[in-house]
């Protein structure tokens, strides 16, 4: 698969099949992604890959907390600036509205929206969960490095016929993850990534989010 095809076909998959993913495939994806660039070659990413009973234990533990804390705890790092300025706020709002529209959940259906949000913490039924961490001593450049590693994981997944969903929402249950994964002191959760085979028949996977035009984000000089 060409890189351009992987980029074009990558989506945030929100409904997976239960088909297992072999360990060898996950290893190949992570080994390949380790070629991602990083400032000074620090390679500041740390990954926990879970499936089977270890993953089920995490998901069940979170499910048991949902009734009391349906949106979890305060994340270690804020998801967005507050306030979120334009055009970013409008882009975020439209993305959410378009996603809920694919499954017929109206804006005033608060229960439906909460239930869909909580599906984040079932990994949208994906059989593999990847949890990426970064040392809290790192600065924004290294956070960008981990982002490039995560993108590499998601593109290589497409090469293997798999799909992914990068999930910042896992930051709202970082304490439960820490209890199960035992990351080193000082490591902060960067994101979770659901990994598996996409359910092609589920309408939620029909969403293709908008992208800004080239003129919106790029300026050219001297060409």
């Amino acid at each position: 698969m060409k890189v351009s095809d992987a980029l074009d076909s990558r989506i945030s998959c929100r409904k997976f099949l239960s088909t297992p993913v072999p360990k060898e495939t996950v290893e190949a994806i992570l080994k390949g992604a380790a070629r991602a660039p990083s400032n000074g070659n620090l390679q500041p990413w740390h990954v926990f890959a879970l499936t089977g009973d270890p993953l089920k234990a995490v998901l069940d533990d979170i499910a048991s907390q949902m009734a009391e804390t349906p949106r979890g705890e305060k994340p270690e790092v804020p998801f967005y600036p507050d306030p979120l300025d334009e055009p970013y706020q409008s882009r975020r709002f439209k993305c959410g509205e378009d996603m809920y529209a694919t499954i017929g959940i109206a804006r005033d259906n608060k229960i439906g929206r909460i239930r869909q949000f909580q599906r984040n913490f079932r990994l949208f039924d994906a059989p593999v969960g990847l949890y990426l961490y970064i040392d809290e001593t790192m600065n924004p450049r290294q956070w960008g490095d981990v982002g490039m590693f995560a993108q590499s994981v998601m593109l290589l997944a497409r090469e293997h016929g798999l799909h992914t969903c990068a999930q910042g929402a896992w930051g709202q249950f970082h304490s439960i993850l820490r209890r199960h994964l035992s990351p080193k002191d000082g490591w902060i959760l960067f994101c979770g990534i659901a990994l598996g085979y996409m359910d092609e028949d589920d309408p939620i996977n029909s969403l293709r989010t908008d992208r800004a035009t080239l003129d919106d984000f790029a300026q050219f000089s001297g060409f």
Side-chain angles (χ1 to χ4, degrees), residues 26-67:
V26 179
E27 289 180 335
I29 289 170
L30 294 179
K31 286 179 180 178
R35 297 301 306 173
S38 59
N39 285 271
N41 198 32
L42 297 190
Q43 305 171 63
W45 44 77
H46 307 278
V47 185
F48 294 86
L50 277 68
T51 193
D53 288 342
L55 179 59
K56 183 177 184 299
V58 172
L59 304 185
D60 288 352
D61 196 355
I62 290 177
S64 71
Q65 305 296 317
M66 284 293 186

Side-chain angles (χ1 to χ4, degrees), residues 69-201:
T69 56
R71 290 194 173 272
E73 60 189 314
K74 182 180 179 180
E76 296 168 290
V77 178
F79 294 139
Y80 303 104
D82 185 13
L84 183 60
D85 295 332
E86 293 296 342
Y88 316 112
Q89 176 61 26
S90 293
R91 291 173 182 172
R92 182 189 177 210
F93 179 83
K94 187 175 188 303
C95 177
E97 293 302 292
D98 290 349
M99 187 270 288
Y100 285 114
T102 66
I103 50 177
I105 298 179
R107 184 157 187 80
D108 60 359
N109 185 352
K110 302 300 185 184
I111 293 177
R113 291 194 171 214
I114 289 174
R115 286 175 177 168
Q116 177 59 35
F117 171 78
Q118 290 176 340
R119 295 197 68 250
N120 275 282
F121 308 108
R122 301 304 301 179
L123 285 171
F124 304 115
D125 302 323
V128 176
L130 306 176
Y131 298 97
L132 278 56
Y133 282 79
I134 184 171
D135 194 302
E136 66 181 359
T137 62
M138 297 292 104
N139 70 27
R141 292 186 185 276
Q142 283 73 58
W143 282 76
D145 295 340
V146 181
M148 288 190 285
F149 173 80
Q151 171 81 326
S152 299
V153 167
M154 291 185 280
L155 295 181
L156 286 166
R158 294 300 302 120
E159 182 179 300
H160 288 270
L162 299 165
H163 275 274
T164 55
C165 185
Q167 300 170 269
W170 280 97
Q172 294 177 230
F173 286 96
H174 62 87
S175 294
I176 290 179
L177 281 175
R178 181 168 296 278
R179 185 162 66 243
H180 286 267
L181 304 181
S182 299
K184 289 185 178 180
D185 290 344
W187 287 8
I188 297 175
L189 182 69
F190 182 86
C191 73
I193 299 178
L195 173 69
Y197 295 93
M198 183 167 71
D199 184 344
E200 303 278 355
D201 296 326

